[in-house]
Amino acid sequence: MPDQDGETSRTVVKTHVPAYQKRIWVDHADELGMSQSEFLRTMVQAGRRGFDPGRTVEGRSSESTSETGEMTGELATRIEAVLADSGPLSWDELVTALTDGLEDRLEDTLQTLQEEDRVRYSGRDGGYTLNEGRS
């Protein structure tokens, strides 16, 4: 969100999380078609909404709605584009429209991870698993 002088420059924020948590976040961001930075900004802003004492009944900040764009990021843009092209959609239709191509991307990515010996398929383990010793 711009400051009082309209500055929108960016800065780096660092945090430390367990490796498994980052993998979960990376996977979720990929599923949503978001960068890791956009995903984390969106999740932090969404979490802050629950703790914002200035929040209105509708869940929006009483100070400004300019945060809304930051919170929703690329996913909101994609939703709006799909609805603009298609008109009203049910939940299932919207999910299908937003995840179109995800299976192909997933298959390609899994193939690459297997070729790099980072992931393997194991019937004994019940599906895809990280190769031991990898993080």
Side-chain angles (χ1 to χ4, degrees):
M1 171 169 40
D3 63 16
Q4 61 188 355
D5 298 323
E7 178 162 339
T8 58
S9 64
R10 300 198 178 255
T11 187
V12 173
V13 176
K14 292 183 180 184
T15 187
H16 298 274
V17 297
Y20 78 89
Q21 183 69 64
K22 182 177 182 192
R23 286 191 302 269
I24 291 169
W25 290 350
V26 168
D27 291 346
H28 197 176
D30 287 346
E31 288 172 16
L32 296 172
M34 302 171 86
S35 70
Q36 291 176 48
S37 292
E38 183 64 25
F39 175 79
L40 289 174
R41 275 193 305 276
T42 302
M43 294 300 107
V44 168
Q45 288 302 96
R48 287 185 63 222
R49 288 174 62 176
F51 298 101
D52 182 2
R55 196 176 88 215
T56 64
V57 173
E58 297 81 25
R60 291 208 166 97
S61 170
S62 60
E63 297 173 5
S64 169
T65 58
S66 65
E67 276 189 3
T68 303
E70 283 182 50
M71 286 188 278
T72 56
E74 293 176 28
L75 184 57
T77 302
R78 290 176 56 203
I79 291 170
E80 290 171 338
V82 167
L83 292 175
D85 290 343
S86 304
L89 295 173
S90 70
W91 173 265
D92 289 337
E93 291 168 330
L94 187 55
V95 168
T96 298
L98 292 171
T99 59
D100 185 41
L102 178 62
E103 287 184 46
D104 292 334
R105 286 177 41 212
L106 175 60
E107 183 177 13
D108 292 344
T109 303
L110 278 171
Q111 183 66 38
T112 300
L113 290 170
Q114 290 177 89
E115 288 170 1
E116 293 172 355
D117 201 31
R118 295 167 58 187
V119 168
R120 65 183 170 83
Y121 182 83
S122 169
R124 175 180 250 173
D125 291 333
Y128 291 95
T129 183
L130 289 175
N131 276 335
E132 292 186 30
R134 301 288 310 199
S135 59

